[in-house]
Amino acid sequence: MSDPITLQVNGETHNCLPQVLLPDLLRQLGFNPRLVAVEYNGEILHRQFWEQTKVQSGDRLEVVTIVGGG
């Protein structure tokens, strides 16, 4: 088994296994991937690319929950 990698999510340090896909990481962290927007290393990452994005050591993610209402 590979050693865990370290990344930043909303300013906090988290560890996960290498080569984890972004939607899987979001679920592991308790987010519903359908209800969040993700900034990945300073750029908004469009949802169409999430399934191909494998997080790497040192990545910085900002996860924002989308809130509905009026």
Side-chain angles (χ1 to χ4, degrees), residues 37-70:
V38 176
E39 183 183 279
Y40 184 76
N41 293 328
E43 301 285 332
I44 296 294
L45 185 63
H46 293 280
R47 194 171 299 273
Q48 69 194 50
F49 301 115
W50 288 13
E51 289 292 336
Q52 301 134 23
T53 301
K54 295 179 181 175
V55 295
Q56 307 291 321
S57 186
D59 281 349
R60 292 175 291 107
L61 284 76
E62 291 293 327
V63 182
V64 179
T65 302
I66 299 168
V67 178

Side-chain angles (χ1 to χ4, degrees), residues 6-52:
T6 302
L7 46 88
Q8 295 282 319
V9 180
N10 293 347
E12 295 181 8
T13 301
H14 290 273
N15 295 314
C16 70
L17 294 176
Q19 302 298 311
V20 171
L21 290 171
L22 180 58
D24 295 332
L25 175 68
L26 293 173
R27 283 189 281 276
Q28 289 173 20
L29 295 174
F31 294 105
N32 181 338
R34 294 184 326 219
L35 301 176
V36 297
V38 176
E39 183 183 279
Y40 184 76
N41 293 328
E43 301 285 332
I44 296 294
L45 185 63
H46 293 280
R47 194 171 299 273
Q48 69 194 50
F49 301 115
W50 288 13
E51 289 292 336
Q52 301 134 23

